[in-house]
């Protein structure tokens, strides 16, 4: 059996009106230092999005989330933040912020396969909450 390693993750939330503190989960960020893994997985349910009359359109929300994905990948299009070390990019993505895209507090666990763990958390917290 492969050795399990620690990982950290945060749930990505869409908060249409920050002052109301209403949100729904749209993604997951998962980081494992020992496996050199950092990834974002997201999906915006357009039916949930329409339930908020003041919400941004689907394309705009997806563009914001795509930017987070680019940062996680260290893509050159993500600017200076994309040049940070992997652990620093995770900390930046998981930092507390007061914007329409936010992340939960970080949580930790053990895994032997971060990709599978990301998919499992994504299904539990985003697709089938």
């Amino acid at each position: 059996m492969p050795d399990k390693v620690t990982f950290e993750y945060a749930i990505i939330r869409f908060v249409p009106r920050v002052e109301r503190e209403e949100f729904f989960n749209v993604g997951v960020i998962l980081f494992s230092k020992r496996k050199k893994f950092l990834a974002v997985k997201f999906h915006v349910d357009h039916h949930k999005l329409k339930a908020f009359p003041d919400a941004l359109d689907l394309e705009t929300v997806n563009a914001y989330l795509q930017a987070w994905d680019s940062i996680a990948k260290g893509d050159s299009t993500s600017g200076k933040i994309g040049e940070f070390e992997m652990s620093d990019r995770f900390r930046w993505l998981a930092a507390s912020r007061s914007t329409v895209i936010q992340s939960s507090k970080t949580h930790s666990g053990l895994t032997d396969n971060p990709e599978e763990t990301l998919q499992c958390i994504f299904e539990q917290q985003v697709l089938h909450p």
Side-chain angles (χ1 to χ4, degrees), residues 5 11 15 20 26 43 47-48 57 61 64 69 88 91:
V5 297
I11 305 299
V15 186
R20 292 181 59 129
V26 294
H43 168 76
H47 294 296
K48 287 182 183 177
D57 62 86
V61 176
Y64 285 141
D69 186 51
D88 293 332
R91 298 282 171 247

Side-chain angles (χ1 to χ4, degrees), residues 51-104:
F52 295 93
D54 297 334
L56 300 172
D57 62 86
L58 183 60
E59 293 78 28
T60 301
V61 176
N62 278 326
Y64 285 141
L65 293 167
Q66 189 60 52
W68 280 40
D69 186 51
S70 294
I71 290 168
K73 290 176 180 171
D75 191 318
S76 62
T77 64
S78 60
K80 289 287 184 190
I81 298 163
E83 297 174 9
F84 291 177
E85 289 185 26
M86 189 179 289
S87 59
D88 293 332
R89 292 194 316 266
F90 173 72
R91 298 282 171 247
W92 188 89
L93 290 166
S96 178
R97 55 182 47 89
S98 184
T99 62
V100 295
I101 304 293
Q102 300 180 8
S103 60
S104 70

Side-chain angles (χ1 to χ4, degrees), residues 27-44:
V28 179
I29 314 160
L30 191 136
F31 169 63
S32 174
K33 183 176 181 176
R34 292 214 17 233
K35 291 284 188 177
K36 296 179 173 69
F37 180 88
L38 175 61
V40 168
K41 190 167 188 74
F42 65 89
H43 168 76
V44 180

